[in-house]
């Protein structure tokens, strides 16, 4: 029978134990460093070592999150020492985002399974298979994928597939978000996201408001729940059902784990047809279970995420960014400062309820419970805005939390074992214990003959069966007695303790490893060849539209032009590449941020255009594009250049070695390192971005659809035309500080990019930039007019080429060049 893994979040030791008690197959958990939930109650080294053994004794796998980007010093001087003890203890797998971390672990920790985090933005089997040769054993799919896309991944790889099935969604493709980083230095790529997506925004189109004050959380997705999609998810080929929630309480981990365990097991037991028939007869039970999950946590109710819809308004929790609770009633009347609430759900003592009209108006704690159908009275006080008809929601179900605590937090689930005691006068007493295929045998003291009353079988059984303080329960104990033995009770207790210790050691020793490297052997192992240095520095200009391209081509000092692949329809692309070549510059195509199946097929259909000799190379933004360029376009034979873009995050020498091993040596510097961190890596970067609006988010959602109320189930869109608001070219977000963030709709590939309100400018940091020894400086143009484009190019030429004094551009930011990130 096929095994489906229920993978539970563990933000603490209590959550780990609760999830295991609720019968998960595996937990994922963070240690003191390098995890994507830096503010969770992550485990100390001592606790992590205990957790590894605890999980294994309970026949549960444990995965360590190392799913952040590492700076070079961290990787070279901290990562080995951090991982080696967990590796030797027997951690089952590590979850990684950084390709440098992947490269390092594959080389120095052989046999350790590596899971590619959703932060890697893996959308196709083609991208994941690139990592397979580097030791990847499992991919965690991007949360934006539909069921058909996951089926295609299953057909295209033998890697394990892990997919988020319940919990919070990011608005941005995971791993492609710099919003928190740019706003306040708390990088989501470093596990410190401040969740600016949960803040209110005004959406504007052509300077007109597109959303109301009631619908201001336009970047806040609803949580997903797929408890009613179990057959479809299993049949899509998913191996591991992942539950989000390392920042949530242990009761959440237990409750959600229990629910998915329940329905997955029923499906595997019944089979598809019988399961569907069973669910038809048990709709009320399913609805009650969904209500329980909503009580634990939901944002604006649940959605089925991207499994069914490509994007749309119904996936966004527009009026509230946090826990919405469960609708339990409505205000029937208000008299004399007291409200009468008509209940549709039972409420319990110590429940927390909210009376709302769009937003919370009044919150209170229930003193005495009441049944559905009855009236509950609450004192509001004078001047309350509450009126009849207002809805009442429960945001804390105290009875449910107490019940989950009683069932899964109070007592440890004991592992069943069997045993045998062998007693023969004049011989050592023997205890044998069995756990699955593991057998241990311990010897006690020599058994003496009894002078008066011999030890009875009942007394022996009573003492040996006392395993309550351990992780085991003796289901069956055989006792063999010869002669009339005298055995002190304390000797039986000691024998039991020794047997349990030996059994635990036998179980956990199966997972132990010995590290093959010493730290001193691996520091500084990666040597990257330097670029040509400042004397041969070029100026690369990336452009959004034809007018910007024309301006860039007019400057002889510009050495290369990078153009977005969707700058024009494919049939017109070569008209622009020809212009670039005629201006005696190199021409590169910037491939899309996201390269999903429909995009992959669209580019395959137009590969003859992309292979044209007017194109010198390509800017890569994901692993799917690397595979496409190599397998479909055979770049090895064409001789075209490949340059990784900033969002492939080469933040350490091991990441550079990863790309070097794939044959890519031209790298773009990431935008989250500060000057000193970039200087430490001097010579490895082909490009450093010195000007441009930095993308804060790349999202499968569409702000135009959100504002228009439309939903899109179409996963096969290949048109350049927008799905809605076709006459609205300019879309912006305005935050609560009145800052505007422009939005680019990539309608052909169906994703949105949200840009920073200020332009990065390193115009007056020439000496520092050149000391990093890039081959090119890069100017990125997005929404600039031709006049603005020319002015910026001219300023950078005057400063970087001719070393003339120039005025800094208006409304600029230095980004992280000075401040960096934590």
């Amino acid at each position: 029978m096929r095994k489906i893994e229920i993978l539970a979040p563990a933000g603490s030791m209590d959550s780990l134990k609760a999830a295991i008690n609720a019968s998960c197959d595996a937990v994922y958990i963070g240690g003191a460093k390098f995890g994507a939930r830096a503010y969770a109650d992550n485990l100390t080294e001592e606790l992590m070592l205990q957790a590894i053994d605890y999980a294994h004794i309970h026949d549960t796998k444990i995965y360590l999150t190392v799913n952040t980007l590492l700076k070079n010093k961290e990787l070279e001087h901290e990562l080995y020492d951090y991982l080696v003890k967990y590796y030797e203890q027997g951690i089952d797998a590590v979850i990684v985002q950084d390709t440098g971390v992947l490269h390092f672990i594959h080389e120095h920790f052989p046999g350790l399974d590596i899971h590619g985090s959703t932060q890697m933005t893996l959308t196709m089997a083609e991208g994941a298979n690139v990592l397979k040769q580097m030791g990847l054993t499992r991919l965690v799919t991007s949360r934006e994928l539909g069921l058909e896309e996951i089926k295609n991944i299953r057909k295209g790889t033998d890697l394990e597939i892990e997919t988020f099935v319940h919990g919070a969604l990011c608005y941005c493709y995971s791993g492609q978000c710099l919003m928190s980083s740019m706003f306040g230095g708390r990088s989501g790529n470093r596990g410190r996201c401040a969740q600016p997506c949960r803040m209110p925004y005004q959406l504007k189109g052509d300077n007109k408001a597109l959303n109301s004050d009631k619908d201001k959380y336009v970047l806040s997705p609803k949580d997903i729940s797929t408890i009613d999609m179990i057959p479809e998810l299993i049949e899509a080929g998913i191996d591991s059902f992942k539950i989000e929630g390392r920042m949530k309480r242990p009761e959440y981990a237990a409750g959600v784990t229990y629910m998915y365990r329940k329905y997955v097991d029923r499906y595997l037991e019944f089979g598809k047809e019988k399961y569907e028939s069973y669910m038809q007869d048990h709709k009320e039970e399913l609805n009650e279970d969904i209500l329980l999950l909503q009580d634990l946590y939901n944002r604006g109710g649940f959605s089925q995420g991207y499994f069914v819809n490509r994007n749309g308004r119904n996936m966004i929790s527009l009026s509230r960014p946090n826990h919405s609770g469960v609708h339990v009633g409505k205000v029937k009347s208000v008299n004399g400062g007291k409200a009468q609430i008509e209940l549709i759900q039972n409420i319990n003592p110590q429940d927390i309820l909210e009376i709302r009209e769009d937003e919370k108006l009044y919150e209170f704690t229930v003193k005495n419970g009441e049944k559905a159908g009855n009236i509950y009275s609450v004192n509001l006080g004078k001047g309350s805005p509450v009126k009849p008809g207002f809805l009442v929601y429960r945001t804390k179900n105290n009875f449910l939390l107490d019940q989950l605590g009683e069932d899964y937090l109070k007592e440890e689930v004991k592992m069943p074992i069997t045993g045998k005691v062998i007693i023969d006068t004049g011989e050592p007493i023997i205890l044998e214990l069995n756990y699955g295929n593991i057998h241990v045998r311990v010897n006690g003291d020599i058994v003496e003959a009894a002078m008066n009353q011999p030890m009875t079988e009942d007394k022996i059984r009573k003492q040996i069966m006392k395993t309550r303080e351990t992780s085991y329960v003796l289901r069956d104990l055989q006792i063999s007695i010869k002669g009339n033995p005298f055995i002190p009770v304390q000797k039986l207790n000691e024998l039991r303790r020794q047997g349990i210790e030996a059994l635990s050691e036998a179980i956990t020793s199966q997972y132990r490893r010995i590290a093959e490297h010493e730290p001193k052997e691996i520091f500084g192992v990666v040597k990257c060849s330097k670029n040509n240095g400042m004397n041969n520095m070029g100026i690369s200009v990336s452009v959004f539209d034809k007018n910007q391209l024309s301006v860039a081509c007019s400057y002889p000092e510009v050495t290369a032009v990078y153009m977005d692949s969707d700058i024009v329809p494919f049939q017109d692309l070569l008209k622009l590449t020809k212009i670039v070549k005629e201006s005696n510059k190199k021409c590169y195509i910037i491939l899309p941020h996201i390269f999903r199946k429909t995009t992959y097929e669209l580019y395959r259909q137009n590969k003859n255009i992309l292979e044209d000799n007017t194109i010198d190379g390509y800017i890569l933004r994901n692993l799917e594009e690397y595979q496409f360029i190599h397998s479909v376009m055979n770049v090895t034979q064409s001789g075209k250049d490949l340059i990784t873009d900033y969002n492939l995050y080469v933040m350490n020498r091991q990441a550079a070695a990863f790309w070097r091993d794939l044959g890519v040596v031209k790298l773009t510097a990431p935008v989250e390192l500060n000057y000193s961190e970039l200087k430490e890596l001097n010579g490895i970067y082909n490009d450093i971005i010195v000007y441009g609006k930095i993308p804060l988010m790349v999202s499968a959602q569409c702000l135009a659809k959100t504002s228009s109320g439309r939903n899109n189930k179409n996963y096969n869109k290949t048109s350049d035309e927008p799905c809605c608001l076709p006459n609205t070219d300019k879309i912006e977000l305005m935050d609560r500080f009145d800052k505007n963030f422009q939005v680019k709709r990539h309608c052909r590939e169906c994703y949105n990019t949200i840009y920073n309100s200020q332009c990065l400018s390193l115009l007056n940091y020439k000496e520092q930039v050149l000391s990093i020894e890039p081959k090119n400086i890069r100017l990125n143009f997005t929404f600039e007019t031709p006049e603005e484009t020319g002015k910026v190019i001219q300023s950078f030429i005057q400063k970087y080429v001719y070393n003339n004094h120039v005025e800094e551009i208006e409304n600029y930011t230095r980004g992280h060049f000075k401040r960096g990130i934590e």
Side-chain angles (χ1 to χ4, degrees):
M1 180 185 295
R2 183 180 167 205
K3 178 72 172 177
I4 302 297
E5 179 183 86
I6 304 299
L7 176 56
S12 66
M13 193 66 171
D14 286 342
S15 291
L16 177 141
K17 292 179 178 180
I20 289 175
N21 285 348
S23 300
C24 68
D25 298 296
V27 295
Y28 63 104
I29 192 166
K33 297 179 179 180
F34 311 138
R37 293 291 181 270
Y39 302 117
D41 187 14
N42 296 310
L43 303 193
T44 63
E45 181 181 290
E46 180 181 359
L47 275 178
M48 181 63 74
L49 296 174
Q50 292 176 20
I52 293 169
D53 285 350
Y54 185 92
H56 289 155
I57 286 171
H58 290 83
D59 195 25
T60 302
K61 291 184 177 182
I62 180 167
Y63 307 144
L64 177 68
T65 58
V66 194
N67 54 341
T68 58
L69 302 179
L70 270 63
K71 298 176 184 179
N72 194 63
K73 287 182 179 178
E74 293 172 331
L75 195 151
E76 292 192 352
H77 300 295
E78 297 180 38
L79 182 60
Y80 183 88
D81 287 340
Y82 176 69
L83 285 181
V84 66
K85 292 177 183 177
Y86 305 146
Y87 174 78
E88 293 184 331
Q89 192 80 356
I91 197 81
D92 292 284
V94 288
I95 306 170
V96 306
Q97 172 190 7
D98 193 320
T99 54
V101 173
L102 173 76
H103 190 271
F104 182 90
I105 291 174
H106 177 52
E107 184 174 356
H108 299 295
F109 295 101
L112 179 59
D113 283 354
I114 305 174
H115 298 174
S117 170
T118 192
Q119 293 282 118
M120 280 187 157
T121 325
L122 295 170
T123 61
M124 296 182 68
E126 285 77 358
N129 285 336
V130 173
L131 300 175
K132 182 180 176 181
Q133 60 186 296
M134 302 285 186
L136 195 78
T137 57
R138 175 184 294 190
L139 72 143
V140 186
T141 59
S142 288
R143 287 180 255 204
E144 290 76 10
L145 301 187
L147 283 173
E148 290 302 316
E149 290 176 293
I150 294 175
K151 289 178 183 178
N152 283 321
I153 292 176
R154 178 72 290 154
K155 294 174 184 176
T157 187
D158 59 359
L159 293 168
E160 294 176 348
I161 297 175
E162 176 181 307
T163 298
F164 281 95
V165 298
H166 192 95
L169 286 176
C170 292
Y171 189 82
C172 184
Y173 278 95
S174 296
Q176 304 299 315
C177 184
L178 296 174
M179 184 174 274
S180 176
S181 175
M182 290 297 172
F183 281 8
R186 288 176 53 179
S187 173
N189 285 317
R190 301 270 293 168
R192 293 169 170 82
C193 181
Q195 294 195 309
C197 52
R198 305 297 181 185
M199 294 292 108
Y201 295 90
Q202 178 73 63
L203 184 61
K204 299 190 297 182
D206 293 336
N207 295 317
K208 297 178 182 178
L210 299 176
N211 63 316
S212 68
D213 289 340
K214 295 180 180 180
D215 298 335
K216 56 189 177 183
Y217 296 100
V218 294
L219 303 184
S220 180
K222 295 178 181 178
D223 286 7
I224 61 169
S225 177
T226 60
I227 204 75
D228 54 350
M229 295 180 65
I230 297 297
E232 294 91 333
L233 297 175
I234 293 176
E235 290 162 19
I238 298 169
D239 299 298
S240 178
F241 283 24
K242 188 170 192 173
I243 299 164
E244 182 277 335
R246 282 199 291 136
M247 296 294 287
K248 297 185 175 72
R249 59 195 304 163
E251 292 88 347
Y252 174 91
V256 180
T257 296
Y258 165 77
M259 282 301 170
Y260 281 86
R261 172 90 286 151
K262 170 182 173 181
Y263 285 99
V264 166
D265 284 355
R266 282 183 181 172
Y267 179 85
L268 295 176
E269 178 187 355
F270 294 161
K272 181 179 180 182
E273 292 184 5
K274 188 176 178 181
Y275 179 86
E276 291 176 349
S277 175
Y278 176 89
M279 295 308 297
Q280 283 294 321
D281 296 335
H282 292 78
K283 288 183 178 179
E284 185 175 346
E285 178 186 355
L286 176 63
N287 291 334
E288 289 175 356
D289 287 343
I290 291 174
L291 189 68
L292 182 151
L293 292 172
Q294 289 179 330
D295 252 322
L296 286 172
Y297 202 90
N298 78 89
R299 287 183 174 91
F302 288 133
S303 79
Q304 292 180 328
Y306 294 92
F307 291 114
V308 177
N309 287 342
R310 175 110 187 186
N311 47 38
R313 183 182 177 90
N314 66 356
M315 296 172 65
I316 307 298
S317 180
L318 291 162
S319 61
R320 187 182 177 99
N322 51 7
H323 182 34
S324 295
V326 169
H327 180 209
V328 296
K330 68 177 180 179
V331 177
K332 185 175 183 181
S333 63
V334 179
N335 293 302
K338 181 175 287 189
Q340 307 296 316
I341 299 172
E342 188 174 22
L343 297 172
I344 61 171
Q345 299 288 342
N346 297 340
I347 58 174
N348 317 294
Q350 300 305 306
D351 282 359
I352 295 178
L353 305 186
E354 285 184 11
I355 301 175
R356 298 181 198 157
E357 186 192 31
D358 300 319
E359 295 185 353
K360 178 175 71 176
L361 297 176
Y362 187 75
E363 180 181 84
F364 61 97
T365 301
V366 175
K367 292 184 178 180
N368 299 304
E370 192 58 81
K371 298 291 185 181
N374 293 341
I375 300 296
Y376 184 82
S377 297
V378 60
N379 292 318
L380 301 174
K382 294 183 179 180
S384 170
V386 173
K387 296 179 181 179
F390 285 7
L391 300 182
V392 182
Y393 289 81
R394 174 172 55 214
T395 57
K396 178 186 177 184
N397 186 328
N398 195 66
F399 175 78
L400 173 61
L401 295 176
D402 284 349
Q403 185 180 46
L404 290 170
E406 187 71 24
D407 292 345
Y408 301 113
L409 276 67
K410 192 173 182 180
E411 296 286 343
E412 176 184 353
V413 169
K414 308 294 185 179
M415 305 307 293
I417 60 176
T418 62
K420 184 177 182 180
V421 178
I422 302 172
I423 300 172
D424 189 356
T425 304
E427 299 291 334
I429 184 172
I430 297 170
L431 173 62
E432 296 177 349
L433 294 176
N434 310 297
Y435 174 82
N437 61 355
I438 296 175
H439 312 283
V440 297
R441 176 184 176 121
V442 294
N443 295 336
D445 291 344
I446 301 294
V447 178
E448 299 178 1
M451 299 294 293
N452 295 310
Q453 293 182 331
M455 178 67 74
T456 65
E457 181 177 327
D458 286 345
K459 287 183 178 179
I460 294 169
R461 186 178 303 277
K462 179 181 178 182
Q463 293 308 122
I464 298 298
M465 295 284 283
K466 288 182 177 181
T467 58
R468 181 173 176 79
E469 301 304 316
T470 75
S471 296
Y472 310 96
V473 56
L474 258 168
R475 295 297 190 198
D476 179 58
L477 180 65
Q478 300 176 30
I479 300 176
S480 172
I481 300 177
K482 292 182 181 181
N484 296 310
F486 169 72
I487 308 172
V489 169
Q490 67 182 35
K491 295 296 183 181
L492 290 174
N493 292 340
E494 183 179 347
L495 184 70
R496 182 190 65 237
R497 179 184 59 78
Q498 290 175 346
I500 293 296
E501 288 180 353
L503 182 62
S504 294
E505 177 62 27
I507 293 169
T508 56
S509 64
Q510 301 175 99
Y511 300 90
R512 300 290 192 255
R513 308 180 185 92
I514 298 175
E516 297 180 2
H517 296 271
E518 291 294 329
K520 62 184 179 182
E521 297 176 358
I522 59 179
F523 294 154
V525 64
V526 178
K527 302 291 185 182
C528 298
S529 59
K530 293 186 177 182
N531 289 321
N532 293 328
M534 60 187 75
N535 295 329
N536 296 300
M537 186 202 71
I539 299 177
S540 300
V541 174
S542 73
V543 297
F544 251 23
D545 62 42
K546 295 181 287 186
N547 293 326
Q548 293 169 350
L549 181 141
S550 297
V551 173
C553 288
S554 69
Y555 287 92
E557 294 88 352
V558 172
T559 53
V561 173
Y562 302 169
M563 66 175 75
D564 265 55
S565 58
D566 62 354
I567 188 171
V568 291
F570 273 120
Q571 60 268 25
D572 297 327
L573 189 62
L574 298 185
K575 296 177 183 177
L576 300 187
T577 62
K578 185 177 180 181
I579 292 173
V580 176
K581 296 306 292 181
E582 288 175 347
S583 65
N584 198 31
K585 305 180 191 312
K586 287 193 172 184
C587 179
Y588 291 81
I589 302 298
I590 305 175
L591 297 174
H593 271 284
I594 305 300
F595 212 70
R596 290 163 65 171
K597 181 173 173 52
T598 52
T599 303
Y600 192 96
E601 294 303 322
L602 177 65
Y603 279 65
R604 185 196 296 272
Q605 294 166 15
N606 291 278
K607 82 181 197 72
N608 290 338
I609 294 174
L610 292 165
E611 289 174 334
D612 192 82
N613 59 15
T614 58
I615 297 174
D616 294 289
Y618 313 93
I619 311 300
L620 302 178
R621 287 171 162 171
N622 50 67
L623 287 162
E624 287 77 19
E625 290 167 353
Y626 169 85
Q627 189 277 342
F628 176 85
I629 293 294
H630 273 79
S631 66
V632 177
M633 296 176 59
N634 199 355
V635 72
T636 304
Q637 293 183 11
S638 70
K640 295 184 185 298
D641 283 341
L642 296 181
I643 304 174
T644 65
D645 209 350
Y646 72 93
N647 68 310
L648 285 172
Y649 304 127
V650 178
M651 293 179 69
N652 49 68
R653 290 190 181 91
Q654 287 282 341
F658 167 89
W659 285 107
R660 179 198 62 198
D661 289 352
L662 292 177
V664 180
V665 295
K666 295 186 175 181
L667 314 170
T668 299
V671 296
E672 289 192 297
L673 293 183
N674 63 28
Y675 165 65
S676 63
E677 292 159 347
L678 291 167
K679 184 71 167 62
E680 183 183 348
L681 298 170
N682 69 313
I684 75 168
Y685 296 120
N686 191 78
D687 287 10
I688 289 183
I689 299 170
V690 296
Y691 171 85
K693 289 195 171 182
I694 301 300
L696 300 178
M697 282 189 171
V698 179
S699 178
Q701 283 296 328
C702 177
L703 286 163
K705 286 198 189 76
T706 298
S707 65
S708 68
R710 294 186 60 181
N711 299 303
N712 183 13
K713 293 186 178 182
N714 184 5
Y715 278 87
N716 298 304
K717 177 176 169 52
T718 58
S719 170
D720 290 312
E721 293 300 317
C723 298
C724 56
L725 298 182
N727 298 320
T728 305
D729 294 327
K730 186 178 180 181
I731 295 180
E732 294 179 320
L733 285 172
M734 184 173 72
D735 69 8
R736 61 195 190 280
F737 305 112
D738 295 332
K739 289 185 178 180
N740 289 322
F741 306 91
Q742 290 172 284
V743 179
K744 168 72 172 176
R745 286 184 289 162
H746 300 268
C747 291
R748 184 170 70 196
E749 284 82 24
C750 197
Y751 67 88
N752 281 190
T753 306
I754 301 170
Y755 287 87
N756 200 7
S757 59
Q758 294 177 298
C759 276
L760 168 73
S761 177
L762 302 180
L763 180 60
N764 288 313
Y765 290 88
K766 174 185 175 182
E767 289 185 6
Q768 292 95 319
V769 169
L770 294 186
S771 71
I772 300 166
E773 300 184 29
K775 187 172 183 180
N776 304 308
I777 60 168
R778 177 171 159 187
L779 313 177
N780 286 351
F781 293 97
T782 49
F783 304 99
E784 289 86 350
T785 65
E787 292 76 19
E788 292 168 336
T789 302
K791 183 177 179 181
V792 170
I793 293 175
Q794 180 65 27
S795 294
F796 275 87
I797 289 173
Q798 289 299 315
K799 184 66 177 180
Y800 276 77
V801 178
Y802 302 111
N803 202 32
N804 293 327
H805 173 76
V806 290
E807 295 294 328
E808 185 57 84
I809 65 169
E810 297 179 359
N811 190 29
Y812 80 99
T813 175
R814 292 175 298 197
H816 288 299
F817 195 72
K818 285 293 184 182
R819 68 183 183 188
I821 54 175
E822 294 181 52

